[in-house]
Amino acid sequence: KKTLELEPKNAAAIYNCGLILYGLEKPAEAIPYFEQSLQITPGDADILEMVGLCYLRSEKYKEALDSFKKAKTHAKDAEKQKRLDELIAETSKMVK
């Protein structure tokens, strides 16, 4: 957060703040950081996946599903697409 005070547009610092909060099991607090990262690098599959995971942990299943689907459209590697397919399938079961 200190880096962000000095460099508010530092993409790596913004993303890392989100990762730290997610790791501390504060997914709802991490979402704004990942969303801000998406404003800097729109369509980044890794960031979209993290947004989805945060929503999933926050029990916002529709939002999680939307993020995973967006991430899949931008994912280039087959392994990530497979993991996103699994997340989409599991999250789809939770959406009412």
Side-chain angles (χ1 to χ4, degrees):
K1 288 186 178 182
K2 191 72 161 173
T3 301
L4 289 178
E5 289 174 19
L6 300 171
E7 300 176 55
K9 302 266 186 212
N10 184 317
I14 295 167
Y15 181 77
N16 287 335
C17 279
L19 284 179
I20 290 167
L21 289 166
Y22 181 80
L24 292 172
E25 297 185 23
K26 297 180 179 185
E29 292 177 42
I31 292 169
Y33 289 99
F34 291 126
E35 302 252 342
Q36 190 176 355
S37 289
L38 283 172
Q39 290 177 1
I40 296 168
T41 53
D44 184 297
D46 293 330
I47 299 170
L48 286 163
E49 180 180 9
M50 287 307 302
V51 171
L53 291 171
C54 287
Y55 280 127
L56 188 62
R57 280 194 172 178
S58 299
E59 298 180 358
K60 294 185 176 187
Y61 304 119
K62 168 105 175 61
E63 293 88 343
L65 184 59
D66 291 343
S67 290
F68 294 143
K69 286 179 178 179
K70 285 179 194 171
K72 185 166 186 246
T73 66
H74 296 285
K76 299 198 181 351
D77 111 4
E79 199 59 38
K80 179 173 277 302
Q81 288 180 348
K82 180 181 175 188
R83 183 173 63 248
L84 287 165
D85 280 336
E86 292 168 0
L87 286 167
I88 289 167
E90 287 302 311
T91 307
S92 293
K93 295 175 188 175
M94 297 176 205
V95 175
K96 296 176 183 177

